[in-house]
Amino acid sequence: RLSGMLEDEEAVFRDAVGDPYAVPNQRQGFAIGKLLSLVRDHGEVYDRVADNWVMASGDSDADLAKQVEALRFLQAVLTCWQFEHPLTEEAFVERLHRWAAEYGENTPGPADPPPTS
């Protein structure tokens, strides 16, 4: 649900201001800025999602649905905030390559519905 809220509020913000990068910190006056501040203030949640659901090896308790939601959450935050982790991690890029190779033609795309639990 948080991922959806972030995506929706970022869309509202972009509709209102046009270029989201024209004026630094302009998100703070919108709901997206408040949501992102909460994520930043509680960075341990972001780190836990990134480390345990996305970056963890096969011994993680995160099934595919959790991993997809975690990636959606990270994407929602990363598209409008300057978080870099886990994008700067080589293991993250390698994991994305493995996921893409594993599912090949069956890899879900952005327009596909979310997986069911």
Side-chain angles (χ1 to χ4, degrees), residues 2 6 25-46 73 77 80-83:
L2 181 57
L6 288 164
N25 299 322
Q26 64 182 339
R27 282 184 178 87
Q28 294 304 330
F30 291 82
I32 187 64
K34 293 169 181 55
L35 288 170
L36 291 170
S37 290
L38 284 171
V39 170
R40 186 184 61 224
D41 291 347
H42 299 283
E44 69 276 358
V45 173
Y46 179 89
F73 170 71
V77 172
C80 52
W81 202 260
Q82 299 303 317
F83 286 87

Side-chain angles (χ1 to χ4, degrees), residues 7 17 22 33 36-37 41 47-48 54-55 64 79 86 91 93 95 99 101 103 107 109-110 112 115-117:
E7 292 163 350
V17 301
L36 291 170
S37 290
D41 291 347
D47 290 339
R48 193 173 312 139
V54 175
M55 297 294 295
L64 181 60
T79 57
V93 175
R95 187 172 189 100
W99 283 336
Y103 293 102
T107 301
D112 293 329
T116 56
S117 305

Side-chain angles (χ1 to χ4, degrees), residues 59-106:
D59 58 345
S60 170
D61 67 342
D63 60 14
L64 181 60
K66 283 184 181 176
Q67 292 173 2
V68 169
E69 275 303 313
L71 284 169
R72 184 176 174 204
F73 170 71
L74 295 181
Q75 180 186 16
V77 172
L78 291 168
T79 57
C80 52
W81 202 260
Q82 299 303 317
F83 286 87
E84 293 182 2
H85 176 75
L87 295 181
T88 55
E89 302 289 330
E90 187 174 326
F92 176 70
V93 175
E94 289 173 4
R95 187 172 189 100
L96 290 178
H97 283 274
R98 279 196 314 272
W99 283 336
E102 180 180 338
Y103 293 102
E105 293 288 324
N106 297 323

